[in-house]
Amino acid sequence: MRRRILLCATILVLAGCSEAPPSPPPRKAPVLNLVAFDTCDRLLTDLRAATRLSVGPYGLPGSGSFPENAAVFGARADSAMPAAKTQAYSGTNVHEAGADEPDVVKTDGRRIVAVSRGTLRVIDPATRALTGRLDLGTGAAAQVLLSGDHALVLSARYSSSIDGRAYEMASGDAEVILVDLSGPPRIISRYRGVGRVVDARQTGSVARVVLSSTPRIDFPYATDNTDDLLRDNRQAITAAPLDAWLPSWQVITGTAISSGRVDCSAVSRPKTYSGAGMLTLLTFDLAADALTDGSPVGVVSDGDLVYGTPTSLYVANQDWQGGDSADTEIFKFALPDVGKPELAASGRVPGSLLNQYSMSEWDGRLRVATTAGSASAVRVLTDSGGKLVQTGVVDGLGKNEQIYAVRFIGPRGYVVTFRQTDPLYSLDLSDPAAPRVTGELKITGYSAHLQQVGDDLLVGVGQEASTSGVRQGMQVSLFDVSASPRRVGQHVVPQSVSDAEFDPHALLWWPATSLLVVPVKGASEGALAYRVDAGGLQLAGKISGYVNRSLVIGNDLWTLGDNEMTAYDLSTLDRIKALNF
């Protein structure tokens, strides 16, 4: 997916952009009310009725979305690690401190764990040696979370057997794998569940994994007549059993196999729903001896964006009404220290969200940035008796433009909109009833991701563009936001793009040495290292070759490519050693 996005972005760089017609005015969205189902019979009756209304001649509406991850780097120490072995290291560039996000590479300072092409690899950063390799038995793209001597791999299953034994589970469904790293890496348990992995968040050793599934109903397609197709599809829904909607699961630990389905009592519904999707939130403890069923919590809805803090997890479902018109329903889960999450509140806002950075919880309230119709807005929502109710709004941002980047930092917010030029708006959100714009900087090009690099400094990674909006190449900007925003540094790489424009996990910010590492692809290939401070943005060096991720351990800068990891001297950026996969 990332390669396709980069290809499209490169084409846009070469071909420029075209203007889209103004969107229709936004519709006022109702508040959602969550209700648990009384019985399985009631659940089945309601699901059949809702699904019959939403089905078309060619089946149920599909979801073409994919998870966006993002985020802040910093040095830290692992409390479980002996003090003598502790080294400063960078974590994944995450949205909120204390809510780790899955990625293709992780480190705890003692080891590096990377997953690619169905294989997990372990590297000892002290000896700079590859010390372990594990075939995960899945050919799908995977991401990993790390805690102590265990790793949790999130993937999808595209085969029907493992270790010579066949297990019946639909192709492409979610797979969660618990791996022991205390010695040569080995698989402890596998969880297989119906649905795709939307995203996950980890606090301490506990991971919350969000799955999205659609009903498993065989539609006949026995005629070319659309009226007959619609009639046959509705009849198929009427005959479908409850199991068609309730996601099944299977856990394999050694030779022991357990299986089941999400229980009716664990499913809630909003006031209105289509029946075409179900969200399932699972809880896994990475410190446990084996995986469980995940204590599933279900909501009759779809979902495409996940945002989390150590105490709350939000899932957003963008409900497209045709064309550019959309509403977004948001579900809030409370995350207790012990036990399963609680579906605490829900709400709906007009417009669409860019990515998870469009949401931010602060002082008990949720801020949401959306584009609806011909302008964008930031809304402040308060949990009131299980409803996310709008407390305040600042709208009219970027008329006839779309949001390209959002960052909330405490009581402040920053929004980038773009069509031909890039207004960077600064917002004061300290009064939830009266959020307001405090500044606007209009420049050519745009930032696709905003990274905090100091109390009053933001780095923007995006594209430079002509005054008519034609993209010209990757742009790194440094903004002083102590008052009204102003740009104090800029570097442009013609005919190039960066993974960080689409996936902030690709960006490394190492505050200990004020180092920013940005991958670049296109006319230039590799990564650029910058020194960033209040005085500006200075290019410190270039790293050649394909760079997907970068991280710091001690005095080494490590980069992950397609087929290798390479260590560089953190100060000089001289190459030390490459480990070929």
Side-chain angles (χ1 to χ4, degrees):
M1 177 65 75
R2 183 181 301 111
R3 291 185 181 278
R4 291 198 294 270
I5 294 172
L6 286 171
L7 176 60
C8 293
T10 304
I11 293 172
L12 287 172
V13 168
L14 298 176
C17 64
S18 59
E19 297 184 5
S23 302
R27 298 177 294 110
K28 187 175 181 180
V31 173
L32 297 177
N33 293 315
L34 291 173
V35 180
F37 288 95
D38 297 330
T39 65
C40 287
D41 288 342
R42 176 62 185 272
L43 173 59
L44 178 58
T45 299
D46 287 3
L47 285 174
R48 282 173 172 171
T51 309
R52 280 196 298 268
L53 290 176
S54 60
V55 75
Y58 304 104
L60 293 168
S63 174
S65 59
F66 63 99
E68 286 282 349
N69 295 322
V72 305
F73 265 104
R76 65 187 184 191
D78 189 336
S79 59
M81 196 186 315
K85 295 184 180 180
T86 299
Q87 295 188 83
Y89 63 94
S90 60
T92 299
N93 190 26
V94 296
H95 191 169
E96 297 284 2
D100 199 12
E101 302 172 12
D103 198 15
V104 294
V105 63
K106 291 284 182 180
T107 184
D108 57 7
R110 295 179 296 167
R111 58 171 71 91
I112 300 171
V113 179
V115 289
S116 65
R117 299 185 177 91
T119 301
L120 179 145
R121 295 176 176 86
V122 182
I123 294 170
D124 181 354
T127 61
R128 304 188 184 100
L130 183 65
T131 58
R133 183 182 183 279
L134 176 65
D135 184 356
L136 296 168
T138 175
Q143 295 187 316
V144 64
L145 293 165
L146 189 62
S147 179
D149 287 331
H150 287 176
L152 193 72
V153 179
L154 309 177
S155 185
R157 180 168 176 262
Y158 287 94
S159 59
S160 58
S161 66
I162 176 175
D163 301 331
R165 293 171 294 170
Y167 301 103
E168 294 300 324
M169 191 65 70
S171 174
D173 281 335
E175 188 160 36
V176 180
I177 306 171
L178 184 64
V179 178
D180 180 18
L181 303 171
S182 60
R186 66 179 183 88
I187 294 174
I188 300 173
S189 293
R190 292 179 184 267
Y191 171 99
R192 289 169 173 165
V194 167
R196 62 183 175 90
V197 176
V198 180
D199 210 339
R201 294 295 181 271
Q202 177 186 345
T203 298
S205 65
V206 178
R208 318 284 184 171
V209 181
V210 180
L211 306 185
S212 178
S213 60
T214 56
R216 302 299 173 102
I217 300 173
D218 292 328
F219 295 114
Y221 301 118
T223 175
D224 293 331
N225 183 283
T226 56
D227 291 337
D228 291 342
L229 283 173
L230 181 57
R231 181 203 62 216
D232 293 345
N233 289 347
R234 288 174 175 167
Q235 289 176 352
I237 291 169
T238 300
L242 184 56
D243 287 354
W245 284 270
L246 292 179
S248 60
W249 54 265
Q250 184 180 73
V251 178
I252 306 168
T253 303
T255 58
I257 303 173
S258 59
S259 61
R261 292 186 181 274
V262 175
D263 191 81
C264 300
S265 62
V267 179
S268 297
R269 60 176 172 85
K271 187 174 182 180
T272 60
Y273 57 95
S274 69
M278 183 172 292
L279 289 172
T280 307
L281 180 56
L282 306 172
T283 301
F284 298 109
D285 188 352
L286 275 68
D289 294 333
L291 293 178
T292 66
D293 65 354
S295 301
V297 176
V299 182
V300 183
S301 178
D302 204 350
D304 27 53
L305 295 177
V306 172
Y307 161 70
T309 73
T311 58
S312 302
L313 187 139
Y314 295 85
V315 182
N317 174 41
Q318 307 196 72
D319 182 14
W320 292 94
Q321 307 299 321
D324 295 326
S325 177
D327 287 345
T328 299
E329 53 186 348
I330 301 173
F331 301 98
K332 176 186 177 181
F333 295 86
L335 304 180
D337 292 335
V338 179
K340 64 168 59 179
E342 176 189 353
L343 183 54
S346 65
R348 186 182 285 263
V349 294
S352 60
L353 280 64
L354 174 69
N355 53 31
Q356 64 152 308
Y357 283 87
S358 298
M359 294 181 281
S360 171
E361 185 183 86
W362 182 74
D363 197 24
R365 295 178 175 86
L366 180 69
R367 291 85 60 87
V368 183
T370 61
T371 296
S374 59
S376 299
V378 172
R379 289 177 167 80
V380 181
L381 307 180
T382 300
D383 182 352
S384 177
K387 301 177 183 178
L388 295 175
V389 179
Q390 180 175 303
T391 302
V393 60
V394 53
D395 53 14
L397 305 177
K399 292 183 178 180
N400 297 320
E401 298 179 341
Q402 293 185 331
I403 291 178
Y404 271 62
V406 183
R407 195 71 192 236
F408 295 101
I409 302 171
R412 297 184 291 177
Y414 303 94
V415 178
V416 173
T417 63
F418 177 76
R419 191 174 186 183
Q420 292 181 330
T421 55
D422 163 15
L424 168 60
Y425 295 95
S426 59
L427 309 174
D428 179 359
L429 305 170
S430 56
D431 183 351
R436 61 190 181 92
V437 175
T438 57
E440 177 183 349
L441 174 65
K442 186 167 288 190
I443 54 178
T444 56
Y446 62 86
S447 297
H449 174 66
L450 296 172
Q451 182 78 31
Q452 185 180 15
V453 294
D455 290 340
D456 294 311
L457 293 175
L458 286 178
V459 161
V461 180
Q463 288 283 312
E464 175 61 299
S466 68
T467 55
S468 61
V470 178
R471 294 161 174 83
Q472 297 177 335
M474 187 194 81
Q475 173 178 256
V476 180
S477 300
L478 179 64
F479 301 103
D480 182 332
V481 293
S482 57
S484 186
R486 61 189 182 94
R487 185 159 63 184
V488 295
Q490 180 188 23
H491 186 242
V492 176
V493 184
Q495 302 295 299
S496 297
V497 297
S498 174
D499 283 3
E501 298 177 43
F502 319 105
D503 184 356
H505 288 170
L507 192 70
L508 167 65
W509 166 240
W510 184 241
T513 59
S514 301
L515 179 70
L516 179 77
V517 180
V518 183
V520 60
K521 296 175 176 64
S524 297
E525 188 90 355
L528 300 177
Y530 300 91
R531 301 293 178 186
V532 183
D533 55 34
L537 182 73
Q538 292 83 36
L539 183 63
K542 299 180 180 180
I543 295 172
S544 60
Y546 185 93
V547 175
N548 191 21
R549 295 289 189 272
S550 54
L551 55 90
V552 170
I553 304 176
N555 296 318
D556 289 355
L557 170 68
W558 289 85
T559 63
L560 173 67
D562 260 354
N563 298 300
E564 66 178 18
M565 284 205 73
T566 307
Y568 298 85
D569 184 278
L570 182 60
S571 300
T572 65
L573 299 182
D574 291 335
R575 180 169 166 152
I576 299 173
K577 186 176 183 181
L579 301 176
N580 195 301
F581 291 165

